[in-house]
Amino acid sequence: MTLHKSTETAGMTGMNGSNGMTGTVGATGHADTACAETTDRIVEDYLTLVDDSMVAVLPHALRIAVELGIADMMNALTPQSVATTADLVGADPDALSRLLSALAAAGFFTGDPATGFRLTARGARLRRDHPHSLSASLVNAESQLAWLRAADSFRTGAASFGTGDEDGEAAAGGFFGVKDNRRAENLAFLRRMRERTGRLYRQAAETVDWSPSSVILDIGGADGFLLGGILSAAPHASGILFDRPTVIDEVNRRGGVPGCRTVPGDFFVAVPTGADTHLLCSVLHDWTDEQSVDILRSSRRALAPGGRLLVIEMLVPEDGSPHISRWSDLGMMVLTGGRERDRAGFTRILHAAGYQVSRVLEIPDSPFSVIEAH
Ligand SMILES: C[S@@+](CC[C@H](N)C(=O)[O-])C[C@H]1O[C@@H](n2cnc3c(N)ncnc32)[C@H](O)[C@@H]1O
């Protein structure tokens, strides 16, 4: 069974910035050869903001630009006066002018208060309708709230999400249980997942060879955005979209996913039988090793004989180099109690559930990989 366009790979390279370990000139001005530091652009930019005690301002400025819908009311061709934009989004003109000036200097807009502003390619990603929109992620208040309490995660090793919430009962279900009780949060989550999948790994649909697959089960497939893309690339196959009942209700309300059966359930209990290909995309990183093995065992029990499992996740590089997965690892700990893993970590949990890794495929232009197991 093959994954085409495949280069068998032993690990991951970083998507952002350099992977190299380089000696740097430290604050003292001396070349620091005793303790080589990594260069990571995210860290460099962050430290510049810390230097000016402005660390929180950029994320908040971007969030507010999205909340006000500024980019949705502008275009890339014609400069729009601050007064018109203020009128369209319901903002104070002076406050908006200052926000646009700061975000223009950061490359999201171009222009000035006298001539007006228009969107840049970067700023267009603040629009809700952009194919690689960042809008749902930038307004992700639940993650920001969890991080305010996150020191507890590092004391206890458990997720901080939902702790200290005024609505203690609703928050008791953890990251996903809360969404079962609060429809608006469930819908915001599904929008975030769709954006993130589109930005980071939807091209998996064109990367994998689907010719051996007849029935593809997406376990924890959210609103079916990825599975829909896969079925377009593999029109001979049919799909089963499996997720929490409150997610499947939303999908059905929108008319489902073409070529797909939708099935609600709990992957800790069982997943549907009848598929020869199982997908687990960005699911295992939400859970501890023990919980992940339980999910993988549910898959193993249901997979058709001779079938394959495809796990789409980031692989933490084993060489200590910078990679977005290192930040995501902390994010998972705080939000869900889960973790990111290196190749050995995935091999271990897959093996514990009765799976053997057959190959790992890097997804082009993505920090994600496809791990194929039988
Ligand atoms: C991080 S999201 C990934 C979504 C999707 N696979 C993607 O790549 O965009 C994890 C998914 O697991 C689903 N999920 C969480 N707990 C579940 C459970 N016990 N049973 C079934 N699905 C669950 C969530 O609703 C969510 O859609």
Side-chain angles (χ1 to χ4, degrees), residues 176 189-190 193-194 196-197 201 218-222 226 242-244 247 265-268 281-283 285-287:
F176 294 107
F189 169 74
L190 290 175
M193 286 304 102
R194 175 176 278 252
R196 180 172 172 272
T197 306
Y201 54 88
D218 195 356
I219 302 171
L226 181 65
F242 179 80
D243 210 292
R244 292 178 290 120
V247 169
D266 178 354
F267 49 44
F268 290 108
C281 308
S282 265
V283 167
H285 78 156
D286 293 331
W287 305 99

Side-chain angles (χ1 to χ4, degrees), residues 107-186:
F108 291 91
F109 301 94
T110 180
D112 58 51
T115 59
F117 291 91
R118 61 185 171 80
L119 275 180
T120 59
R122 178 180 287 178
R125 297 186 64 195
L126 305 178
R127 290 178 65 98
R128 287 171 63 97
D129 62 1
H130 191 279
H132 292 161
S133 177
L134 294 164
S135 63
S137 305
L138 284 166
V139 297
N140 179 3
E142 67 175 20
S143 165
Q144 295 182 20
L145 283 173
W147 271 103
L148 290 177
R149 294 189 287 266
D152 282 344
S153 285
F154 293 85
R155 290 190 187 101
T156 64
S160 318
F161 180 88
T163 54
D165 197 298
E166 319 91 67
D167 189 356
E169 204 181 329
F175 186 77
F176 294 107
V178 165
K179 290 163 185 60
D180 288 334
N181 295 323
R182 299 177 185 167
R183 184 170 181 222
E185 286 180 26
N186 211 20

Side-chain angles (χ1 to χ4, degrees), residues 302-373:
L303 185 68
R308 63 177 170 162
L309 166 67
L310 302 174
V311 174
I312 299 183
E313 292 277 4
M314 290 191 271
L315 293 184
V316 180
E318 286 163 5
D319 64 359
S321 57
H323 193 268
I324 189 175
S325 55
R326 298 190 192 283
W327 304 115
S328 181
D329 183 47
L330 303 184
M332 290 306 110
M333 173 169 62
V334 167
L335 289 176
T336 65
R339 66 190 312 130
E340 301 293 347
R341 297 176 174 88
D342 58 14
R343 184 177 173 140
F346 278 111
T347 303
R348 210 169 33 244
I349 57 172
L350 283 158
H351 186 74
Y355 276 115
Q356 298 298 330
V357 174
S358 31
R359 66 178 63 216
V360 177
L361 168 72
E362 283 186 23
I363 301 175
D365 302 319
S366 167
F368 281 72
S369 297
V370 183
I371 305 164
E372 183 190 55

